[in-house]
Amino acid sequence: MTSEPDDIMNKINSLKTEYYLENKKNIIFKNNQKFDCATTIVQNINKTELFNNIITINENRMHFNYALFKAIIYPDIYTDFIYHIFQVNENILSDYSSFNVFIDCKGLTMTGVERYKDFITIMSLEGQKNKKDFLQKLGQIYIVNPPFMIANIGKILLPLMDKAVKERIIIA
């Protein structure tokens, strides 16, 4: 059973506030501090519950919530989250022949893209190794609430993506 996304965000925001009260917020060199804050959050909220709120399912549609993702993901749990995504794919594909992905990009910035590009690379490599053929079963990827600078983000992310994925992206 998962909590409501608002409940999870309230818990996360409370932990973030606590963290930044104890650790003055950096103006520059934020990545390590953001990852440290995310570590604190994951240590205080069940990781599976967090993952289940980042990725939600509606029939054959996987919905990805970037706002939750950016609050809790740090390098030490990249692989755990990637395998969670793969398990969600397997669950969908046990009932459907294909799946679609909806990515809510609300709050995504260029620094966020840069911060998580290693995650994308690792997910791509793990996807190639697991031989589940998820790309062949992928319908469309819908980008919802795209940031203003989507063209710049595309310059960074698109070279990291498989050609089969690039062709399926729809900006909504």
Side-chain angles (χ1 to χ4, degrees):
M1 181 173 187
T2 60
S3 298
E4 291 294 317
D6 288 342
D7 292 342
I8 289 291
M9 279 310 295
N10 288 337
K11 290 178 189 175
I12 288 171
N13 287 332
S14 176
L15 289 165
K16 281 172 63 174
T17 299
E18 247 179 72
Y19 175 86
Y20 285 116
L21 284 173
E22 293 175 16
N23 305 278
K24 186 179 178 201
K25 196 169 192 175
N26 292 343
I27 295 172
I28 56 174
F29 306 116
K30 294 180 186 181
N31 280 353
N32 286 340
Q33 189 176 44
K34 287 185 181 268
F35 289 150
D36 189 45
C37 181
T39 302
T40 300
I41 292 166
V42 172
Q43 289 171 345
N44 286 283
I45 302 175
N46 179 281
K47 186 169 50 173
T48 302
E49 181 180 9
L50 291 166
F51 289 176
N52 286 335
N53 278 275
I54 294 171
I55 302 285
T56 56
I57 305 305
N58 183 351
E59 296 176 354
N60 76 329
R61 296 180 296 274
M62 179 187 307
H63 297 265
F64 176 86
N65 184 323
Y66 175 73
L68 284 169
F69 173 86
K70 76 176 186 173
I72 68 131
I73 294 297
Y74 58 98
D76 290 351
I77 64 169
Y78 283 178
T79 303
D80 292 345
F81 187 59
I82 288 165
Y83 284 105
H84 176 78
I85 293 169
F86 293 165
Q87 185 60 55
V88 168
N89 275 336
E90 285 185 38
N91 293 346
I92 291 171
L93 293 171
S94 69
D95 294 327
Y96 299 93
S97 61
S98 67
F99 67 100
N100 293 309
V101 178
F102 290 76
I103 303 173
D104 186 346
C105 292
K106 187 175 182 179
L108 180 63
T109 63
M110 286 299 293
T111 57
V113 170
E114 183 65 29
R115 185 175 304 116
Y116 300 113
K117 74 179 183 182
D118 288 343
F119 172 83
I120 295 165
T121 301
I122 293 167
M123 187 166 79
S124 177
L125 292 171
E126 290 298 319
Q128 291 170 15
K129 286 193 312 191
N130 80 4
K131 307 222 186 286
K132 300 280 184 179
D133 295 326
F134 289 137
L135 284 181
Q136 287 73 18
K137 298 168 186 169
L138 173 64
Q140 301 293 322
I141 299 174
Y142 296 88
I143 307 294
V144 182
N145 295 317
F148 177 71
M149 74 303 188
I150 196 76
N152 291 330
I153 291 172
K155 289 177 188 174
I156 295 170
L157 288 181
L158 290 177
L160 301 172
M161 292 183 189
D162 187 285
K163 184 180 180 207
V165 174
K166 290 181 211 179
E167 296 170 350
R168 297 174 187 184
I169 296 175
I170 297 171
I171 299 175

